[in-house]
Amino acid sequence: LSFSRLGSGEGGDLVRQSSGSERAPRRIQSWLITLVVVALVPVLSFTLFAVLSLVERERSTMALALQDSARALALAVDQELEGSITTLLGLAASAKLASEDYPGFYQQLERARTETRRSWWTAGVVDRSGHPVVSLDAPIDTMLSFVLERDDFWAAVRADRPWISDRFLEPASQEAVVL
């Protein structure tokens, strides 16, 4: 409050009391703005923190789910490969293959593919000189023409161990094959 002196013509001074109402709306307005800001800043801060926490939790949950899926897929692939390797090792020990009865071995190979290894596209045998002798890609009476020129094959021959190739293009047909 403020007081001001006003002059009057009749002897006494008239004093007027000012309530400061000219400044009141501005002062109330700034208090209201301050109150709103002070009330909203913690709420907005908490909301931002909560949203960021949920996003991070969702990210980590998604990463764990993808990791679990990758592990399950890797396990399934490993099991399929182990089954194929076991089947191939069994076929490699075949008496028909050892006696070079290739038509009989062809039938064993075909039976192994249809009964146990439906995922195989093809299978075959390459002799120690790199010539294919049996392949499910060609009828048994067809002589396959290419010679295998692969370092990993020759390393397997020197080590006297079975070998499964990576996928490559067969020279004559340009088809993708795995031996």
Side-chain angles (χ1 to χ4, degrees):
L1 292 175
S2 65
F3 297 96
S4 63
R5 209 174 262 243
L6 296 175
S8 102
E10 295 202 9
D13 286 341
L14 201 55
V15 177
R16 184 172 125 198
Q17 185 176 2
S18 170
S19 66
S21 62
E22 300 85 25
R23 291 187 221 162
R26 188 166 200 207
R27 192 173 282 174
I28 290 174
Q29 183 181 20
S30 56
W31 278 105
L32 286 175
I33 289 172
T34 303
L35 179 65
V36 168
V37 168
V38 168
L40 285 180
V41 166
V43 171
L44 291 175
S45 298
F46 175 75
T47 302
L48 181 64
F49 174 75
V51 167
L52 291 176
S53 295
L54 287 173
V55 166
E56 183 57 34
R57 184 178 304 154
E58 186 66 26
R59 234 185 240 149
S60 64
T61 301
M62 184 69 75
L64 287 174
L66 287 173
Q67 196 174 39
D68 288 346
S69 295
R71 281 187 187 128
L73 183 59
L75 181 62
V77 168
D78 284 347
Q79 289 173 341
E80 180 64 27
L81 287 174
E82 284 295 322
S84 291
I85 290 169
T86 301
T87 302
L88 288 172
L89 289 173
L91 287 167
S94 166
K96 293 186 187 265
L97 182 61
S99 67
E100 296 182 6
D101 176 11
Y102 295 132
F105 183 73
Y106 182 90
Q107 291 173 350
Q108 283 182 327
L109 195 56
E110 180 63 39
R111 190 171 40 254
R113 179 174 67 173
T114 57
E115 292 177 5
T116 62
R117 297 284 136 212
R118 290 185 181 91
S119 62
W120 286 1
W121 292 330
T122 187
V125 175
V126 178
D127 67 13
R128 291 183 178 275
S129 65
H131 290 56
V133 292
V134 175
S135 174
L136 292 178
D137 281 340
I140 190 60
D141 58 348
T142 304
M143 191 61 169
L144 299 170
S145 61
F146 71 94
V147 175
L148 201 55
E149 298 290 339
R150 297 180 51 93
D151 292 337
D152 52 344
F153 167 74
W154 295 111
V157 168
R158 284 190 298 277
D160 197 30
R161 63 176 169 82
W163 168 77
I164 300 173
S165 74
D166 292 330
R167 197 174 123 183
F168 67 97
L169 294 179
E170 194 272 326
S173 67
Q174 291 299 305
E175 290 185 29
V177 294
V178 176
L179 295 176

